Amino acid sequence: MQKFSHHVSSLTFASMAFLSMNALADVKVDIDLSNAEHHYANVTMTLPESVKKTVDLKLPTWRTGRYEILNLANGIREFSVEGDSIAWQKIDKDTWRLTGDLKNGVEVSYQVYSNQLGYRTRHVDDSHAFLDASGVIMYTEESRDDKHTIQLTTPKNWRSVSGLTSGENPHQFIASDYDVLIDSPIETGINEFHAFTVDGREYELVIWGKGNYDSEKMVKDLKVLVAQGNTIWSDYPFERYVFMVHATSGARGATEHLNSTIIQRSRYSFSERKDYLQFLGTAAHEFVHTWNVKQYRPEGLVPYDYQNENYSNLLWLSEGSTSYLQNQLLMRGELMTTKEWLKNLSKRITGFKHKPGRDAQSVAQASFDKWISEGGDYAKNHSVNIYSEGFLVSWMLDFDILEKTQLQKSYRNVHDVLYKEYSIPKTFNDQDMLTVLNKVTGNDYQSWWKTNVDGYAKPDFDKLLAKAGLEISYGKEDKKQAWAGMSTKSHSNGLLVTSVEKGSPAWEAGFTTDDIIVAVDGLRIADKDLKKRLKNFKPETEVTFTFFRRDQLTTKNVKLASIPKGELKVQAMKDASEQQKAFFKAWTGLDFPKAKSEETKK
């Protein structure tokens, strides 16, 4: 079943006649990539006729999937308009105003400097071009709903791939409107290509760049992955889906699109199991987005406003829940083992325990502030993350639903209801979420929502894990080690402080980022890691640190605290009940793991 998320309407005879008369009101875009080695894309746009005397041509200030103002118009040069009857003027950083006789349409041309690989907006070189329309193709409010035909002029032997409908030749693509175009990037160039079919739907994998990947294994595992969609949703919203992979240097990350995704990884980060599992996790994350975000989006994000911030306090559900559900697909397809899942969970719990920002910002606040969120030390101490903390809130909600429904329903059912009842053009808000939760469980979630979404979520990990027969362990012996609460990295003069955990001994002593530690207790620091040096001290010991700040040498005394010596690990209880094991199975789809003592006996 093909589900159209951008336009849902019933055409009357009159409206069909209107469309017929305006069939020629299409936007044609020619993109010349023949000067690719200099990162140039030369764009020529033919806009349809307009009765208006003034039309504003705009380039978006951000792209879908990245909630950040990017100022994409900084690469536009050599703007011109064909003919003398139309004047133009740039009126702000991303708007070109056309004035004059527009009744016969207008042709505009401009050059786009395309060297933003890591932003996943536009990148052109002598081997390929990745084109996200948000960074390349302008629009007018009048033509936003018009059909767009994109024609590429490429070097010889380039292959062009997109989630868009193919046109009359291998380098032509057609979008029903600008919203579809902006959510359907094009990858063209020298690439490796694979096509496969699963359950009657077509899939493509296109890889640009050389690396240590095994494309046959990638295809094999992607076949398993895409088949898991029906473990969460009642149907698929597409007939064709494209995985685009960049095996490159420097750039990393991924972005979801309407029926495709772009995944960027280091060319040498595919062969080792931990690296390959990260690739599968990313692929699963973006595939989940095909439903969560591309089919149903929170209030404030429909329709997209491409020139301004699109605020929502539910981005944690759009991103954090996607991070949570990606593992559901991996586990139910047995692409991730129980051991790998528990290791992933252990890292998330450890990260949360060392994030003081959990007491300063809720996931709802983090969602609204995503457009101005900061990284680094400040974020860790004063903020939460819509991905990591959104994951934890999703986990807590899943367990609450499983428990309240005696394992008959889960958070997966919530997302299927959102898909079936709140797909675009509809949206949902907090009250709608409470309605859905009540529908799935028969329970009122207002208090839960106020505590964990609007308030500062405080998961009781021991209690949560026990429901599924799991527990936290730090190893055989409950030993402690000295802890200062700051992270460092090697520096030519010593150790550079990169972060200081709020409330830690180092924080209380007054340490901050960019301090350069040169000695501990009067001895020059020779280790590349402060943790190694601190192993020489017992907890509660007062230690003198000598360091440079603003090139001035100074000292501070730090009374070391203690943390568990071993690494936090989530493991199976040796005496887990059948009820706990059943909970684990309903949660993950996997069989309950053997307890460590059982593995040792074996």
Side-chain angles (χ1 to χ4, degrees):
M1 170 181 149
Q2 181 75 35
K3 199 159 185 172
F4 297 96
S5 62
H6 291 273
H7 297 283
V8 181
S9 61
S10 297
L11 293 178
T12 62
F13 178 80
S15 62
M16 289 176 68
F18 176 80
L19 288 177
S20 177
M21 288 188 297
N22 288 272
L24 297 177
D26 298 346
V27 177
K28 299 187 184 303
V29 183
D30 291 297
I31 304 177
D32 188 341
L33 301 168
S34 57
N35 205 3
E37 64 271 17
H38 295 299
H39 310 297
Y40 293 146
N42 293 300
V43 180
T44 300
M45 293 184 63
T46 304
L47 300 171
E49 63 186 48
S50 175
V51 296
K52 291 187 175 183
K53 295 292 185 182
T54 300
V55 170
D56 287 341
L57 195 59
K58 303 176 182 179
L59 191 74
T61 62
W62 65 285
R63 66 152 173 78
T64 62
R66 181 167 182 150
Y67 308 103
E68 176 186 352
I69 298 298
L70 296 174
N71 294 323
L72 297 170
N74 61 359
I76 305 297
R77 294 292 185 273
E78 301 184 16
F79 186 93
S80 65
V81 179
E82 181 71 19
D84 299 325
S85 62
I86 301 172
W88 67 271
Q89 179 185 9
K90 191 173 183 182
I91 62 171
D92 62 35
K93 61 185 174 62
D94 41 50
T95 305
W96 289 256
R97 177 162 291 170
L98 309 181
T99 305
D101 184 2
L102 305 173
K103 64 182 179 182
N104 294 319
V106 60
E107 181 179 290
V108 300
S109 299
Y110 53 90
Q111 186 182 84
V112 187
Y113 181 70
S114 306
N115 195 20
Q116 295 182 334
L117 183 62
Y119 281 166
R120 294 180 291 286
T121 53
R122 58 192 184 220
H123 185 256
V124 177
D125 67 16
D126 58 354
S127 68
H128 93 131
F130 175 77
L131 305 172
D132 183 304
S134 61
V136 179
I137 302 174
M138 299 182 188
Y139 74 101
T140 71
E141 290 298 338
E142 294 78 14
S143 64
R144 182 168 170 172
D145 290 334
D146 293 339
K147 184 178 85 171
H148 285 59
T149 300
I150 314 301
Q151 179 65 56
L152 306 179
T153 299
T154 71
K156 291 181 180 180
N157 302 321
W158 278 28
R159 177 179 16 232
S160 299
V161 181
S162 176
L164 292 168
T165 301
S166 296
E168 297 175 350
N169 61 69
H171 300 295
Q172 187 180 88
F173 299 98
I174 298 171
S176 59
D177 54 50
Y178 187 77
D179 294 295
V180 170
L181 174 64
I182 209 169
D183 232 339
S184 308
I186 298 171
E187 172 66 32
T188 180
I190 301 168
N191 51 57
E192 182 175 338
F193 180 81
H194 301 269
F196 54 96
T197 303
V198 178
D199 296 332
R201 282 173 288 277
E202 297 177 359
Y203 296 88
E204 296 171 4
L205 169 65
V206 56
I207 308 172
W208 167 68
K210 300 296 182 181
N212 62 2
Y213 51 82
D214 180 342
S215 56
E216 291 186 6
K217 180 172 176 55
M218 290 166 72
V219 169
K220 177 183 176 183
D221 290 339
L222 288 174
K223 284 182 177 180
V224 175
L225 170 63
V226 299
Q228 308 310 312
N230 59 13
T231 64
I232 301 176
W233 299 280
S234 50
D235 62 51
Y236 286 67
F238 59 83
E239 295 297 335
R240 177 172 161 267
Y241 189 92
V242 181
F243 290 95
M244 301 176 183
V245 177
H246 288 170
T248 182
S249 301
R252 61 182 299 274
T255 301
E256 72 277 7
H257 289 286
L258 188 61
N259 63 345
S260 63
T261 181
I262 170 63
I263 300 172
Q264 295 178 330
R265 292 185 62 79
S266 165
R267 65 180 78 255
Y268 301 116
S269 63
F270 293 89
S271 61
E272 290 189 26
R273 174 60 187 174
K274 65 180 180 61
D275 291 332
Y276 184 66
L277 185 61
Q278 287 179 354
F279 163 73
L280 287 179
T282 301
H285 183 99
E286 306 312 324
F287 193 62
V288 170
H289 271 316
T290 312
W291 290 266
N292 185 19
V293 170
K294 295 310 170 186
Q295 292 301 317
Y296 50 92
R297 283 202 295 272
E299 188 176 86
L301 296 175
V302 178
Y304 282 136
D305 179 347
Y306 298 122
Q307 306 312 122
N308 300 289
E309 295 87 346
N310 292 225
Y311 293 107
S312 170
N313 61 351
L314 286 170
L315 283 182
W316 68 268
L317 188 146
S318 298
E319 294 296 346
S321 294
T322 297
S323 294
Y324 182 75
L325 293 173
Q326 75 184 54
N327 293 299
Q328 290 283 326
L329 296 187
L330 293 178
M331 289 186 291
R332 292 174 189 280
E334 296 186 355
L335 295 170
M336 171 188 274
T337 66
T338 303
K339 184 177 180 180
E340 289 168 336
W341 164 235
L342 296 184
K343 186 175 182 179
N344 179 291
L345 205 57
S346 301
K347 288 182 177 179
R348 292 184 178 276
I349 294 172
T350 300
F352 185 77
K353 285 178 174 288
H354 287 281
K355 183 175 285 188
R358 66 183 181 272
D359 296 321
Q361 190 179 52
S362 69
V363 290
Q365 292 169 332
S367 296
F368 193 86
D369 287 343
K370 182 65 180 72
W371 293 90
I372 57 171
S373 63
E374 294 187 36
D377 198 42
Y378 180 81
K380 181 178 179 180
N381 284 321
H382 301 281
S383 309
V384 293
N385 184 282
I386 61 172
Y387 293 88
S388 54
E389 277 64 52
F391 175 104
L392 292 177
V393 170
S394 301
W395 173 25
M396 294 166 66
L397 188 52
D398 195 14
F399 268 35
D400 198 80
I401 296 170
L402 284 165
E403 189 171 45
K404 280 185 169 63
T405 63
Q406 298 181 323
L407 309 185
Q408 297 305 302
K409 301 288 184 180
S410 73
Y411 193 42
R412 289 174 288 129
N413 296 95
V414 169
H415 279 264
D416 192 39
V417 172
L418 288 172
Y419 172 57
K420 290 188 290 189
E421 299 183 11
Y422 291 90
S423 279
I424 299 167
K426 291 183 68 176
T427 62
F428 59 92
N429 55 29
D430 291 59
Q431 186 55 52
D432 294 321
M433 283 301 301
L434 293 174
T435 299
V436 172
L437 288 167
N438 179 263
K439 180 175 183 176
V440 171
T441 69
N443 287 270
D444 187 327
Y445 270 81
Q446 288 191 35
S447 178
W448 190 98
W449 199 264
K450 183 177 180 180
T451 299
N452 299 297
V453 176
D454 296 328
Y456 307 146
K458 300 184 184 301
D460 184 334
F461 293 115
D462 291 328
K463 186 176 179 180
L464 275 172
L465 292 169
K467 295 179 191 293
L470 304 172
E471 62 185 359
I472 290 175
S473 171
Y474 290 97
K476 293 181 179 179
E477 301 177 12
D478 188 20
K479 291 185 177 181
K480 302 291 183 180
Q481 64 180 349
W483 178 69
M486 56 182 162
S487 299
T488 61
K489 69 178 183 180
S490 294
H491 185 274
S492 58
N493 294 322
L495 292 178
L496 180 70
V497 177
T498 56
S499 68
V500 182
E501 187 171 320
K502 184 180 179 182
S504 68
W507 177 278
E508 296 300 331
F511 275 93
T512 187
T513 52
D514 296 329
D515 288 341
I516 301 172
I517 300 170
V518 295
V520 178
D521 259 12
L523 294 176
R524 181 172 64 88
I525 188 77
D527 299 307
K528 294 182 178 180
D529 189 343
L530 182 61
K531 292 179 182 178
K532 186 175 180 181
R533 179 73 175 91
L534 293 184
K535 288 181 179 180
N536 297 312
F537 301 95
K538 293 181 179 180
E540 311 304 323
T541 302
E542 187 168 274
V543 177
T544 300
F545 285 80
T546 305
F547 62 99
F548 281 106
R549 177 179 292 175
R550 296 185 299 272
D551 294 331
Q552 294 180 346
L553 192 64
T554 186
T555 62
K556 284 185 180 294
N557 292 330
V558 177
K559 186 176 181 180
L560 302 174
S562 64
I563 58 172
K565 190 172 185 178
E567 180 183 343
L568 185 153
K569 292 183 179 179
V570 175
Q571 63 183 30
M573 294 177 173
K574 62 180 180 180
D575 55 352
S577 67
E578 291 304 314
Q579 182 179 359
Q580 289 171 313
K581 292 178 180 180
F583 196 108
F584 183 90
K585 180 73 172 181
W587 173 33
T588 65
L590 298 172
D591 291 332
F592 189 75
K594 286 184 170 60
K596 196 165 185 179
S597 58
E598 294 178 88
E599 290 181 348
T600 303
K601 289 179 183 178
K602 185 176 178 180

